[in-house]
Amino acid sequence: ESEVKHIIRMLKGKKPTLPVALDMEDADDYKKNHGCLTREVVSTVCKTVLSGLKKAGYYPMLYTGYDMLPYLTDEVLNMADLWWAQWWKECQYKADNVGMWQYGGEVNYIDSNNIPGVGVVDKDLCYKDYPTIIKQGGYNGWSGGEPKKIPDVFYRVRVGGKWQKEVDNLTSFAGVKGKPITDVAIKVTKGRVKYQVHVKGGDWLPW
């Protein structure tokens, strides 16, 4: 959480028109050598940073690739847009939230790996009009002052007749794996809640 606060301090006074990206990789084996290349640690770091940026009004993005896929939960992979790194002829990771694809660096199968006068560079494709999305959405300080504040969400569920502990935002999950949820209690600091429930052995119910 202290790192999130530091990122926000570094962004103060700036209004980026691209997402604020968390680079999650282990190219130098630092995480592996220090015993922190685990699914729990990697996913927790991602959740903390991405949710913290979003809560502060920024548009977060996760930069990662296939090497880190075993260490990322489905929740993390779907909580923000992805900047997928795969030096290949096509982006083979198919997901609606892939917003950017880094297709080459030292190795480039599509075009030249350098820019005259600059040298070897990483090259990317962007699939979304982020400047428009960010400005119109009021992210990254484009709301006319401080970044747009995102309401806090608090919720708890009842499983087997017992209410589970309260969860705030995306810091954890509610429920017990394999057991049906019978009740849901939700509150927000601003606005209203719209939700769906899934029937065990069935389908999603209407909103």
Side-chain angles (χ1 to χ4, degrees), residues 171-187:
T171 57
S172 186
F173 65 91
V176 178
K177 187 175 182 179
K179 295 186 178 181
I181 293 172
T182 57
D183 301 89
V184 181
I186 309 173
K187 63 181 178 180

Side-chain angles (χ1 to χ4, degrees), residues 91-109:
C91 182
Q92 295 173 308
Y93 186 82
K94 308 297 183 183
D96 292 337
N97 64 326
V98 175
M100 296 176 67
W101 169 38
Q102 184 179 103
Y103 61 86
E106 288 88 354
V107 178
N108 195 314
Y109 294 96

Side-chain angles (χ1 to χ4, degrees), residues 154-182:
F154 304 90
Y155 59 99
R156 61 174 57 194
V157 300
R158 184 153 58 182
V159 178
K162 181 180 180 180
W163 284 100
Q164 304 296 305
K165 68 177 183 179
E166 185 178 83
V167 176
D168 62 282
N169 300 312
L170 296 172
T171 57
S172 186
F173 65 91
V176 178
K177 187 175 182 179
K179 295 186 178 181
I181 293 172
T182 57

Side-chain angles (χ1 to χ4, degrees), residues 118-191:
V118 178
V120 176
V121 296
D122 294 339
K123 292 188 176 182
D124 307 86
L125 287 176
C126 187
Y127 300 118
K128 299 184 180 182
D129 182 4
Y130 282 116
T132 298
I133 292 172
I134 288 170
K135 290 179 181 180
Q136 291 185 355
Y139 301 102
N140 298 359
W142 286 98
S143 55
E146 291 300 312
K148 178 181 177 182
K149 298 295 182 182
I150 305 298
D152 288 309
V153 180
F154 304 90
Y155 59 99
R156 61 174 57 194
V157 300
R158 184 153 58 182
V159 178
K162 181 180 180 180
W163 284 100
Q164 304 296 305
K165 68 177 183 179
E166 185 178 83
V167 176
D168 62 282
N169 300 312
L170 296 172
T171 57
S172 186
F173 65 91
V176 178
K177 187 175 182 179
K179 295 186 178 181
I181 293 172
T182 57
D183 301 89
V184 181
I186 309 173
K187 63 181 178 180
V188 292
T189 54
K190 182 180 180 181

